[in-house]
Amino acid sequence: MEYIGKSVIRKEAFEKVTGKAKYTNDFQETGTLHAKMLISPYAHANIASIDFSEAWKIPGVKAILGDEPFPLVGEEIKDRSPIAYKRVRYHGEPVAVVVAEDPITAKKAVDAIKVSYESLPVVNSPREAFQENAVLVHENLDRYEKREGVYPVPKTNIANLDKIRKGNMEDGFRESDVVAEFQISFNPSDHAAMETRCSIAEIRADGEVIITTSSQAPFAIKKLMEWYFGIEPGKVIVKTPLVGGAYGGKAAVQLEVIAYLASKAVAGQPVKLFNSREEDMITSPVHIGLDASIKLGATKDGFLKAAEIQFLFDGGAYSDKGVDISRAGAVDCTGPYAIDHIWCDSYCMYTNHPYASAYRGYSHAEVLFAFERTMDVLAEKLNMDPLELRYKNAIRPGDTTPTQVLLSSSTVGNVPKCIERLKELMNWAEGQRMEIDDRKIRAKGISCIWKTSTFDTNATSGVILTFNPDGSINLMSGVVEIGTGTKTVLAQILAERMKMDISKIHVKMLVDTQTTPEHWKTVGSRGTLMGGRAVLNAADEAIRKLKEVASCVLRVPVEELEVADGKVYFLDNPNVFVEIKDIAYGYTFPNGNTIGGQIIASGNYTLTRMTHLDRETGKGKPGPEWAVGAQGIEVELDKRDYTYRIIKAYSVVDIGTVLNEKAARGQVMGAMSMGIAFGGRETFVFDPYGRVLNPQLRTYRPLHYGEQPEYIIEFIETPHIIAPYGARGGGEHGLLGMPAALGNCLSAALGVQLKHLPLIPELLWRAQEGWKDDIV
Amino acid sequence: MISFDFEYFKPKTIQETIHLFHSLVTKKKTPLYYSGGTEIITLGRLNLVYTDAVIDINALPEYHTIRFSEGYLVIGAGVSLTKVEEENPFPLLSKTVSEIADRTARNKISLGGNICGDIFYREAVLPLLISDSLLGIAEIDGLHYYPINKVFNREIQLQKGDFLFNILIDQTYLDLPFVSMKRRQQWNVGYPLVTICALKKDEEVRMAFSGVCPFPFRSVEMEDVFNDKSYSLEDRVRRSLQYLPKPVLNDVEGSSEYRIFVLQHTILDALQKLEGGPNV
Amino acid sequence: MSNPITLNINGKKRQITVRPAATLLDTLRLRLGLTGSKPGCLNGDCGACTVLMDGVPMKSCLMLAVEGEGKEITTIEGLINTPIQKAFIEKFAFQCGYCTPGFLMNCHALVYTEPNASDERIKDWLESNICRCTGYREIEEAVISVLNTVKGTH
Ligand code: FES
Ligand code: FES
């Protein structure tokens, strides 16, 4: 193998270090108009009146949108007006949009719009939303159009409920000697991708809608535009250049719709809508919050018997992706453990908070914080080493998941091996908590992780290969380059299969839904599995076509030919060969006769034997495989003032096969960094009126240089048999266990069970010194 | 992106500057002096600051210099925070400003801009509050020097059209024993929960605070308590709190209860360091 | 309101008229087509817009274009084949690449201004930029590898 496992430099590297790489907002065509949003300062209010007259007086204003009943949108339930109509339900919601000749004019006009609001009582947490007699965020939930398989409960704030029923809870708790109960909660937060979202829309004279956008889901936009506005998919062309970080936040479709409406209002002229940082943080969809209660039962020697779980996800004001995120939470509602009796109710709740999009890990880091914290609570009750408890219960081939999928060593990675390795790396034997002096404590905490990706059961990925006259290949895939380097990995897979020099593979970075084959969505770490399989299929077709032509030229049967090193040659005598460059565009005999033409090959891949989940029990196959791992954190804590430093962070991830060493490490490390920030610092702070008090990077602070710990990352390789070279998804896993491991570590250090995120010193101080638990 | 428009002036002398300001006011304009400019740009973008005439004072001679003169350290108010750090004429000041914002921003933020800013931390003023510094204020009839406590009370007290031109610090203060500590909500970046600057002069501790209240301050009453050695350190810290100005901040960085908790430890650390003598 | 100004960018003089209220970042991107400098916050918090003014890193969203007169401005488009660019590629010091121009400008200034920078100094400089994709270790490695070679040539 030449390219698999190698740290091949990403194909777009030179573009990115020279400033030439183009992201959506870097496209500036003359004639493009600029849109600017006016956003709601209230979390819940009626719009009593709205007056555009002053705004219209500003020269250069082309259109003002708002105060209009636009078609309702939403991925599963159509509950959201793209621009608020008569009512706002979250702080930051778009209330009006101005289209003008330039961004300054648009902003001036937005400042000139006068709105008067009548404030309404707010639903400020999912727990509050769940109370009987709670204020309703949507009174007319029953009237919304929705997809199949979504079950909103009218006259409540429940957007959806997914149930897991496995085994029998009575049996489970009867078999248990020890029961541990725990409740956790944390607020929504943000993805904070460095590129804020941007969309440009234009409607051509023939009705074609062209959208250029920073999105993880260009193909989904086409389908949604049909569902929302009845536009035939062939008439919607979505282009996505490089994306400046996404982490799930760009899987939601929002600005695209607003930009389309804006373009429509100016007779189809191109309109650009670019989020300010503040808008990107609260107006556009955010990272979901959660309130969870967990009850675990175990025998006295530590075997898990029962898990009873309730999740109240803070889906925010509109259901959009929240419904599917809370479903994914139900699917993997426990950690990676063998448990016979599981009961889980996973609710997506409406609140007056910004609404949710996917976030790296798709609810798994959130669920694991709840479950893995409870595991430590249980370990304490059992008086058992928490690592030992996890090892004992680690899920293995032959066990079933909460949705009752029977696992094999191909479909689940090796959890026990990950734990064993973590134990060694962390030197767990020296103890979990050590007093260094009368103030400093060193402590360690761990978390196991797992994840499958819940895709649509018919999610597909396609690849087209076209040859150039020099024998090089253009690789076109619908995977969006969001920073994960997947397109480079696809090139590696192609080079490996074609046995050719990777520099001869040209990867098309821009996705254009008209010319690029579909890749369902660039989410859930599935680019390599799906895109990779499609590449292999396409490569096989290319090889077959090359051999067909070569067979005529060389007068050797196809079966006796081989493709490698830019040639097609006779297996028995490699000196009998034809160069690919001489057949890539057909072969021309000396007399001018030509056979064949440009070689074009395609391939696609659809996930195999996925099923819908049963409404009552959740039974079904939600994803192709579970990638697993074990993670840890080591901190040094000052007992006096509760400040701490994360010294080391560990990840042992079963990644199947490492396809690109440095890229894989980079993914895991980056995800760990995000997970540490989510666990240790990031949160939206809401005031009692549901307003976000910190929608800026100055007050909402991702990890900065110098705050990173030492990262210790190792890979276990248990192949996923049907995946290209056995690789498992790994773009998210580094994040999943970080908040839980940090919580476990600090809880052990302090001897208090910590329940909330982020774990800032003030929170530790409150927990330890017995302040009322008053964190919203 | 600032949506309002303004005229831009860059005068060359103090006199010209002040006259320009007043003539703009007569023309019903809302002029603002522009030093580092970071607040005008960031707050202007959010319509929290408005001006239709910016007077950039960075061309004024001496506005960017650090020099010694007649027993004083003289720092132009336009000097960037990084220049203060790099030239390091007053270690307490250097240490304190080195924790403000981040280094690239400090290349732009001026000392005077931080002291006169709208954002209420204004940490650069703390060392000046405890070193009997003089502020050189440019006024219509020229430059005048005032003891800092006459012109700075929670915020700078300037007549309309006046501006802070330079700062004088008696050289005898420059190498006194000092501490400068900043405590944040979490880890290394962000606004302070508490910033303390303290120095010891003639065996007396002086201390100034930021982050605790929505303004920086020095409290003589608190200092009296700190210096009353008939009490233990812990007692002095506890007793000093009764003189804490109000309100104590309660915001996204931390609650007021927690700030007081952090404040106590920080004062204690500061006192311990200073009382341990210069060699500790 | 527009003022004519001359900016010296990447060694070329460019004459333009700008609103005095225009930031340097907007001017570079919207008027001069230099889109390498990125808007990440427009508030001085992220460093994606960092350029060099007479060799000193500055957040171009925190300054007016008119302030750039008489200065030598370097943007990412003016960095060509520098050791830090090579090191970023070799050390995988970026993923999505959006923070990269800002980081590169700051790192480039760092290695030339303080060729003997300690870990503490590196931290002091690089705290100014946010990267949401990497774990910063790759960036650290890239900077250190260049510092070592710069030191080697002195
Ligand atoms: S855009 Fe200038 S610092 Fe973020
Ligand atoms: S590489 Fe994406 S933000 Fe740094």
Side-chain angles (χ1 to χ4, degrees):
Chain A
M1 290 214 242
E2 253 198 282
Y3 289 109
I4 298 304
K6 296 278 160 56
S7 297
V8 172
I9 285 174
R10 55 172 69 236
K11 284 280 181 182
E12 77 288 11
F14 289 94
E15 297 290 293
K16 284 182 173 172
V17 297
T18 51
K20 297 207 173 88
K22 283 227 189 315
Y23 303 81
T24 302
N25 188 36
D26 296 335
F27 291 86
Q28 313 178 343
E29 274 174 41
T30 40
T32 301
L33 301 174
H34 296 264
K36 178 83 192 152
M37 297 183 275
L38 173 69
I39 62 175
S40 170
Y42 289 91
H44 201 187
N46 285 320
I47 301 174
S49 68
I50 184 160
D51 177 2
F52 297 143
S53 55
E54 288 301 313
W56 271 118
K57 288 183 192 155
I58 294 170
V61 171
K62 301 289 183 187
I64 304 180
L65 295 85
D67 197 23
E68 237 180 289
F70 290 113
L72 296 181
V73 298
E75 292 219 353
E76 305 220 11
I77 305 171
K78 289 186 182 174
D79 56 10
R80 180 176 101 244
S81 180
I83 300 167
Y85 181 58
K86 305 264 185 230
R87 166 107 167 252
V88 288
R89 295 185 173 86
Y90 71 94
H91 175 208
E93 184 164 355
V95 169
V97 176
V98 173
V99 185
E101 272 166 9
D102 56 73
I104 297 285
T105 308
K107 185 157 187 280
K108 281 183 182 162
V110 161
D111 293 342
I113 296 175
K114 294 192 193 73
V115 191
S116 72
Y117 298 91
E118 288 160 1
S119 69
L120 295 168
V122 299
V123 180
N124 215 357
S125 74
R127 182 67 53 197
E128 234 175 274
F130 198 61
Q131 303 309 313
E132 267 179 58
N133 308 320
V135 170
L136 293 183
V137 180
H138 295 267
E139 291 80 6
N140 300 320
L141 198 45
D142 46 339
R143 288 193 223 145
Y144 294 139
E145 190 188 344
K146 62 187 179 60
R147 290 202 195 274
E148 261 176 58
V150 200
Y151 313 106
V153 184
K155 304 294 169 218
T156 72
N157 287 314
I158 299 169
N160 193 38
L161 165 61
D162 278 291
K163 297 186 221 170
I164 299 293
R165 303 288 183 264
K166 176 184 167 189
N168 176 312
M169 295 315 289
E170 274 178 30
D171 291 351
F173 284 111
R174 199 172 34 240
E175 292 163 23
S176 304
D177 305 308
V178 177
V179 170
E181 285 186 76
F182 201 60
Q183 194 180 339
I184 62 95
S185 72
F186 50 84
N187 278 342
S189 50
D190 196 48
H191 309 82
M194 294 322 296
E195 177 206 24
T196 58
R197 297 160 176 95
C198 182
S199 296
I200 308 164
E202 139 175 41
I203 306 166
R204 294 263 166 87
D206 57 5
E208 260 178 9
V209 178
I210 302 181
I211 298 175
T212 305
T213 183
S214 49
S215 171
Q216 291 172 268
F219 296 92
I221 293 168
K222 277 173 46 157
K223 295 174 207 165
L224 288 173
M225 291 298 281
E226 182 177 31
W227 199 42
Y228 296 162
F229 304 107
I231 309 170
E232 20 177 325
K235 291 216 152 175
V236 178
I237 300 166
V238 184
K239 301 179 187 181
T240 298
L242 295 171
V243 171
Y247 326 109
K250 290 172 181 164
V253 178
Q254 180 200 33
L255 296 193
E256 295 85 353
V257 170
I258 298 175
Y260 161 74
L261 292 172
S263 171
K264 207 169 155 188
V266 290
Q269 276 192 79
V271 175
K272 180 192 271 190
L273 178 58
F274 173 61
N275 269 352
S276 69
R277 175 55 62 185
E278 291 82 356
E279 289 159 348
D280 208 58
M281 292 188 80
I282 60 171
T283 300
S284 286
V286 304
H287 171 199
I288 207 161
L290 174 66
D291 183 314
S293 315
I294 309 244
K295 184 174 165 190
L296 296 181
T299 62
K300 55 179 176 304
D301 44 2
F303 288 101
L304 286 170
K305 288 291 164 191
E308 188 181 302
I309 297 164
Q310 185 196 54
F311 294 137
L312 301 178
F313 279 97
D314 188 344
Y318 300 102
S319 60
D320 209 53
K321 303 193 81 71
V323 167
D324 196 54
I325 298 166
S326 55
R327 185 178 298 139
V331 160
D332 288 337
C333 60
T334 65
Y337 305 111
I339 309 174
D340 288 340
H341 309 285
I342 301 174
W343 182 101
C344 171
D345 274 354
S346 181
Y347 292 93
C348 179
M349 299 303 301
Y350 285 116
T351 65
N352 290 115
H353 287 167
Y355 69 100
S357 178
Y359 175 82
R360 204 168 191 171
Y362 215 57
S363 80
H364 286 65
E366 297 75 6
V367 161
L368 284 167
F369 178 68
F371 198 89
E372 289 289 290
R373 280 279 30 249
T374 314
M375 284 293 276
D376 268 32
V377 173
L378 177 66
E380 186 183 61
K381 281 202 151 188
L382 286 164
N383 206 359
M384 184 178 267
D385 179 320
L387 190 138
E388 178 67 27
L389 176 67
R390 287 174 171 83
Y391 190 79
K392 257 190 178 164
N393 290 286
I395 204 160
R396 291 169 163 85
D399 294 329
T400 62
T401 73
T403 67
Q404 304 177 48
V405 175
L406 180 65
L407 296 171
S408 68
S409 80
S410 171
T411 54
V412 68
N414 194 333
V415 183
K417 200 164 166 191
C418 292
I419 300 177
E420 280 165 20
R421 189 68 192 124
L422 183 72
K423 188 176 175 182
E424 290 163 13
L425 288 171
M426 290 184 79
N427 191 11
W428 190 257
E430 73 175 352
Q432 202 186 349
R433 182 181 187 281
M434 285 151 292
E435 305 254 350
I436 296 177
D437 55 35
D438 55 342
R439 268 175 65 177
K440 292 256 164 26
I441 305 173
R442 247 192 202 235
K444 299 171 186 179
I446 54 164
S447 169
C448 286
I449 57 171
W450 72 338
K451 181 178 187 282
T452 192
S453 310
T454 44
F455 278 15
D456 282 3
T457 52
N458 59 357
T460 182
S461 182
V463 159
I464 295 175
L465 305 176
T466 60
F467 279 71
N468 297 309
D470 62 351
S472 65
I473 305 179
N474 305 309
L475 165 58
M476 281 158 285
S477 150
V479 172
V480 179
E481 184 45 69
I482 54 177
T484 53
T486 309
K487 285 198 144 160
T488 302
V489 169
L490 295 183
Q492 286 178 261
I493 292 173
L494 181 61
E496 184 82 11
R497 177 60 68 111
M498 302 289 301
K499 301 198 179 86
M500 68 188 282
D501 181 351
I502 195 162
S503 69
K504 292 233 148 119
I505 294 173
H506 307 289
V507 180
K508 184 174 171 184
M509 287 294 158
L510 177 89
V511 169
D512 174 335
T513 60
Q514 196 174 35
T515 53
T516 321
E518 169 155 345
H519 176 75
W520 184 64
K521 294 176 186 176
T522 306
V523 297
S525 312
R526 287 287 176 244
T528 307
L529 168 64
M530 297 176 58
R533 281 291 299 266
V535 164
L536 290 176
N537 286 343
D540 288 345
E541 183 179 321
I543 290 169
R544 185 168 52 73
K545 288 184 168 171
L546 288 169
K547 283 183 182 169
E548 274 167 15
V549 183
S551 167
C552 296
V553 178
L554 302 175
R555 281 157 291 154
V556 175
V558 165
E559 309 78 62
E560 294 173 19
L561 288 171
E562 176 69 351
V563 175
D565 302 324
K567 301 185 186 99
V568 186
Y569 62 87
F570 178 31
L571 277 167
D572 263 357
N573 181 0
N575 290 331
V576 177
F577 69 89
V578 56
E579 289 200 55
I580 290 180
K581 72 176 166 58
D582 295 327
I583 56 175
Y585 263 54
Y587 182 79
T588 303
F589 289 93
N591 70 355
N593 292 166
T594 300
I595 52 165
Q598 183 189 13
I599 306 262
I600 298 171
S602 66
N604 66 20
Y605 180 72
T606 303
L607 291 175
T608 317
R609 293 184 68 94
M610 297 296 114
T611 63
H612 296 295
L613 302 179
D614 181 80
R615 183 176 174 184
E616 290 309 319
T617 64
K619 189 169 190 231
K621 185 165 184 210
E625 58 88 37
W626 278 259
V628 302
Q631 296 185 296
I633 279 186
E634 197 173 325
V635 305
E636 196 173 284
L637 174 98
D638 184 333
K639 269 198 291 194
R640 185 192 71 170
D641 55 21
Y642 302 95
T643 54
Y644 66 90
R645 209 160 52 86
I646 300 179
I647 300 166
K648 290 176 180 171
Y650 302 83
S651 285
V652 182
V653 185
D654 191 338
I655 198 166
T657 306
V658 178
L659 296 180
N660 183 321
E661 169 79 23
K662 280 196 185 169
R665 297 182 77 79
Q667 282 297 300
V668 173
M669 205 187 298
M672 289 168 77
S673 168
M674 245 177 129
I676 286 169
F678 165 32
R681 185 159 65 202
E682 293 182 22
T683 183
F684 283 139
V685 181
F686 292 98
D687 73 4
Y689 311 103
R691 293 177 301 202
V692 179
L693 298 176
N694 57 338
Q696 291 192 328
L697 296 175
R698 194 174 292 188
T699 41
Y700 181 106
R701 296 180 285 265
L703 223 61
H704 279 243
Y705 187 96
E707 296 180 318
Q708 71 276 21
E710 184 185 336
Y711 292 103
I712 297 116
I713 297 166
E714 283 208 11
F715 295 118
I716 302 288
E717 297 185 302
T718 310
H720 176 213
I721 294 168
I722 63 158
Y725 306 98
R728 295 179 193 272
E732 301 156 287
H733 292 72
L735 189 152
L736 304 182
M738 282 293 117
L742 183 61
N744 288 341
C745 175
L746 294 168
S747 296
L750 292 170
V752 174
Q753 299 297 355
L754 298 163
K755 301 178 174 183
H756 305 290
L757 293 175
L759 295 153
I760 53 173
E762 173 163 3
L763 185 119
L764 310 190
W765 172 74
R766 282 180 180 274
Q768 180 84 326
E769 312 227 337
W771 282 85
K772 193 165 79 34
D773 203 4
D774 54 0
I775 289 161
V776 180
Chain B
M1 188 163 290
I2 301 170
S3 60
F4 50 83
D5 285 308
F6 50 72
E7 283 181 87
Y8 176 81
F9 305 93
K10 200 165 182 179
K12 298 247 169 10
T13 67
I14 294 184
Q15 223 194 358
E16 193 192 330
T17 304
I18 303 223
H19 283 122
L20 177 60
F21 188 99
H22 289 290
S23 78
L24 287 164
V25 171
T26 330
K27 287 188 221 152
K28 300 262 175 298
K29 296 269 189 185
T30 315
L32 276 185
Y33 290 124
Y34 186 99
S35 179
T38 55
E39 281 197 13
I40 295 180
I41 293 176
T42 55
L43 300 178
R45 177 177 75 86
L46 302 171
N47 297 326
L48 298 173
V49 156
Y50 175 78
T51 175
D52 50 15
V54 158
I55 305 176
D56 183 339
I57 52 181
N58 286 294
L60 300 181
E62 297 276 292
Y63 190 58
H64 290 275
T65 51
I66 299 181
R67 63 191 168 88
F68 287 91
S69 167
E70 295 169 29
Y72 283 98
L73 164 65
V74 182
I75 309 181
V79 167
S80 72
L81 299 184
T82 34
K83 183 164 170 176
V84 173
E85 287 170 60
E86 276 157 14
E87 298 203 5
N88 195 19
F90 183 13
L92 168 59
L93 184 63
S94 314
K95 174 80 187 4
T96 307
V97 301
S98 74
E99 295 290 329
I100 294 172
D102 59 62
R103 194 176 194 284
T104 308
R106 290 196 298 275
N107 286 334
K108 191 75 175 31
I109 300 171
S110 67
L111 185 59
N114 183 268
I115 293 170
C116 302
D118 276 338
I119 298 173
F120 52 59
Y121 300 104
R122 302 187 276 268
E123 290 156 284
V125 84
L126 302 181
L128 309 180
L129 287 173
I130 53 177
S131 56
D132 297 329
S133 57
L134 301 173
L135 300 188
I137 310 291
E139 299 176 6
I140 194 133
D141 55 350
L143 199 52
H144 296 271
Y145 292 94
Y146 300 94
I148 188 162
N149 56 7
K150 290 273 182 308
V151 279
F152 193 98
N153 179 14
R154 301 187 170 188
E155 58 189 358
I156 193 117
Q157 323 271 315
L158 292 175
Q159 299 300 315
K160 200 165 181 186
D162 296 353
F163 65 92
L164 175 63
F165 181 75
N166 61 12
I167 296 144
L168 272 62
I169 300 146
D170 186 326
Q171 268 181 272
T172 56
Y173 285 88
L174 302 185
D175 35 45
L176 293 175
F178 73 91
V179 288
S180 173
M181 298 176 172
K182 181 164 183 166
R183 301 279 180 261
R184 298 177 173 89
Q185 180 199 56
Q186 177 74 298
W187 302 323
N188 308 341
V189 293
Y191 286 132
L193 285 169
V194 173
T195 299
I196 285 186
C197 284
L199 53 75
K200 191 161 73 171
K201 170 138 170 74
D202 309 328
E203 290 309 303
E204 301 266 282
V205 169
R206 302 168 168 208
M207 209 179 273
F209 306 85
S210 168
V212 183
C213 301
F215 45 81
F217 67 92
R218 171 183 176 186
S219 160
V220 178
E221 292 88 346
M222 289 175 80
E223 285 175 11
D224 287 344
V225 180
F226 298 146
N227 289 313
D228 182 352
K229 298 212 171 122
S230 57
Y231 292 94
S232 72
L233 273 180
E234 286 76 10
D235 278 346
R236 281 184 260 160
V237 173
R238 205 167 321 116
R239 290 182 62 244
S240 73
L241 295 180
Q242 60 183 306
Y243 300 108
L244 208 57
K246 301 229 159 26
V248 172
L249 279 171
N250 186 12
D251 61 15
V252 294
E253 302 298 334
S255 66
S256 46
E257 309 83 279
Y258 181 64
R259 275 192 155 87
I260 290 176
F261 170 80
V262 174
L263 175 66
Q264 293 182 51
H265 288 305
T266 319
I267 298 177
L268 192 67
D269 290 346
L271 289 177
Q272 259 161 2
K273 269 213 176 134
L274 287 177
E275 304 217 332
N279 300 325
V280 173
Chain C
M1 252 176 263
S2 274
N3 288 22
I5 55 168
T6 304
L7 295 178
N8 180 349
I9 302 175
N10 301 329
K12 279 197 207 94
K13 291 228 158 62
R14 312 276 295 254
Q15 284 181 330
I16 44 169
T17 55
V18 293
R19 292 168 70 226
T23 60
L24 178 62
L25 176 64
D26 281 341
T27 306
L28 291 173
R29 290 179 54 84
L30 304 172
R31 300 294 309 286
L32 298 169
L34 297 170
T35 55
S37 308
K38 299 294 180 218
C41 66
L42 307 182
N43 203 49
D45 302 332
C46 75
C49 64
T50 304
V51 300
L52 305 185
M53 306 288 288
D54 294 334
V56 177
M58 290 284 179
K59 292 176 177 176
S60 62
C61 72
L62 280 188
M63 62 189 305
L64 303 174
V66 290
E67 288 183 83
E69 278 213 285
K71 305 250 158 67
E72 262 181 49
I73 304 171
T74 314
T75 69
I76 185 67
E77 288 87 352
L79 279 203
I80 294 159
N81 280 327
T82 61
I84 195 70
Q85 286 166 299
K86 286 187 202 130
F88 262 56
I89 293 177
E90 277 160 22
K91 303 292 178 189
F92 281 59
F94 54 89
Q95 292 174 21
C96 79
Y98 199 80
C99 70
T100 312
F103 255 109
L104 281 168
M105 297 318 288
N106 199 12
C107 294
H108 181 73
L110 165 63
V111 298
Y112 282 95
T113 314
E114 298 194 24
N116 293 307
S118 62
D119 287 356
E120 263 313 297
R121 296 301 298 151
I122 298 174
K123 180 169 102 70
D124 188 46
W125 279 70
L126 299 192
E127 234 170 43
S128 309
N129 300 63
I130 301 176
C131 174
R132 189 61 155 168
C133 294
T134 71
Y136 292 118
R137 288 289 170 203
E138 307 93 325
I139 295 173
E140 179 179 10
E141 278 177 34
V143 169
I144 289 175
S145 74
V146 176
L147 283 176
N148 289 339
T149 54
V150 174
K151 268 182 226 159
T153 59
H154 277 259

